[in-house]
Structures are given as C-alpha cells and as structure tokens.
Amino acid sequence: MTGKTWPQPLFEAARLGDQAAIVALLAIAQPDIRRYARAACRGSADAEDAAQEALWLLFRRVGSIRSLAAVSRWLFVVVRRECLRLARRAGLVPTEPIDGIDLERTFASRPDIEIRLDIAAAMEALPAQYREIALMRDVREMTIDEIAGERGLSREAVKARLHRARMMMREYLAR
C-alpha cells in the first residue's frame, strides 16, 4: 500500500489460498484502506463500510489478482466506488443509468492521476485475450492488420475482441 511494502512471497502465498498469508495481507492493507476511506467518503460510517467492503473483496478475490502492483490500485478503486455508491444511496450524488453516463464529462473533472489509475485498473480487469488486443491497439498503436498477423487471428476476430475489450472497460469505468 502507500507506506508499506507487500512482500512478494506473502502475496503469492495468499494468491494460492494460504489463509495465514491472506490474513497477514489484510492486516497490512487495513490501515491504508481505512485512511483512504476516511478521506474519500462523506462520513465515518460510510468510510467504515467502504473499508470493510474493500477488505472483504480482497479476502474473496486475492486469488484472481494478477500482480502485486495491481493490489493497491484495485483496493483504492474499490473504496472510491463504494464511497460513491453510499453517497448515491443517501441521495447526495445523482444516480444515472450505466448507459447514460457521460464518461468524458465524468473524467474531465478528475485529476489525471485518478484517471490513469482507473484506466489501468480497468485494463487489468480484462481477460487476457482482450487485454492483449487492447494494449496492442490503444497503447502500442498497432493496426488491426498488424495485430491479426502477430496473433494469428482474422481481422474480424481482432475487431471483435477490441470492441469487447472497450465495452468491458467502459462498463468497469462506469461502475
């Protein structure tokens, strides 16, 4: 997390289901998650709820987290989204249907670092077959034909995967 380092062997043991390692990771993560929740949520009760949700999701999903570097980012996104959900439920933030969210307007008012972290977390959440295509097209700026040639796929398959990847990222970012 922010002030502490997570030992790679501990993280790997937790990913493999070692309960003691999972408990140790939760203990390491808890202070930073709570501190971030207090800063991100509107009140102490919401902050506690958001921190508990993040810890619970870490406990349940640690096995599916791909890299140690993704853990902190992922946890902070969970806390921020939970704070937003709680604020919406309390009527403090207008609710919009997922399809009606204007991501451009939403992101325009946020600091660049937050946007980058959200996009990185959305990219990390993609299944590997979609993440690879999205990275090749949107980060490495390869053409559809170049990607198809390198991956041994048809143009149509590349386009379909790219479309699905972008839709999944949009859905992830809209939550």
Side-chain angles (χ1 to χ4, degrees):
M1 302 292 301
T2 55
K4 301 170 182 70
T5 59
W6 294 36
Q8 183 71 33
L10 181 65
F11 173 71
E12 289 302 324
R15 282 190 66 213
L16 296 174
D18 180 335
Q19 293 297 312
I22 293 171
V23 169
L25 281 180
L26 291 172
I28 292 170
Q30 186 174 355
D32 287 332
I33 291 172
R34 289 187 191 289
R35 189 171 28 261
Y36 184 71
R38 282 191 302 271
C41 289
R42 64 182 176 87
S44 60
D46 284 354
E48 184 61 28
D49 288 348
Q52 288 300 319
E53 179 69 15
L55 290 167
W56 173 243
L57 285 174
L58 176 60
F59 175 77
R60 287 185 49 218
R61 297 186 182 172
V62 70
S64 66
I65 299 173
R66 291 183 186 88
S67 72
L68 181 58
V71 176
S72 293
R73 234 184 350 243
W74 179 75
L75 286 170
F76 288 139
V77 168
V78 168
V79 169
R80 186 172 49 246
R81 290 214 169 95
E82 184 64 13
C83 290
L84 181 59
R85 186 187 70 75
L86 292 167
R88 279 188 181 134
R89 191 172 67 184
L92 300 172
V93 175
T95 57
E96 302 176 39
I98 288 177
D99 293 336
I101 290 178
D102 181 358
L103 290 177
E104 192 171 304
R105 181 178 46 89
T106 301
F107 286 138
S109 64
R110 296 189 39 221
D112 285 347
I113 188 69
E114 285 186 19
I115 296 168
R116 284 190 208 116
L117 290 174
D118 280 348
I119 291 171
M123 189 69 76
E124 286 261 348
L126 290 174
Q129 66 185 12
Y130 299 116
R131 184 175 52 254
E132 290 172 357
I133 300 298
L135 287 171
M136 294 171 90
R137 179 70 177 130
D138 296 332
V139 176
R140 293 175 52 198
E141 298 181 350
M142 295 173 68
T143 66
I144 299 295
D145 290 329
E146 290 171 331
I147 297 168
E150 189 170 313
R151 290 289 170 214
L153 299 168
S154 68
R155 283 179 49 83
E156 291 76 21
V158 171
K159 288 171 136 182
R161 287 184 186 183
L162 181 59
H163 175 73
R164 286 185 193 119
R166 288 176 175 166
M167 292 304 294
M168 283 187 259
M169 287 183 66
R170 181 178 176 85
E171 184 177 304
Y172 183 95
L173 292 168
R175 286 189 231 148

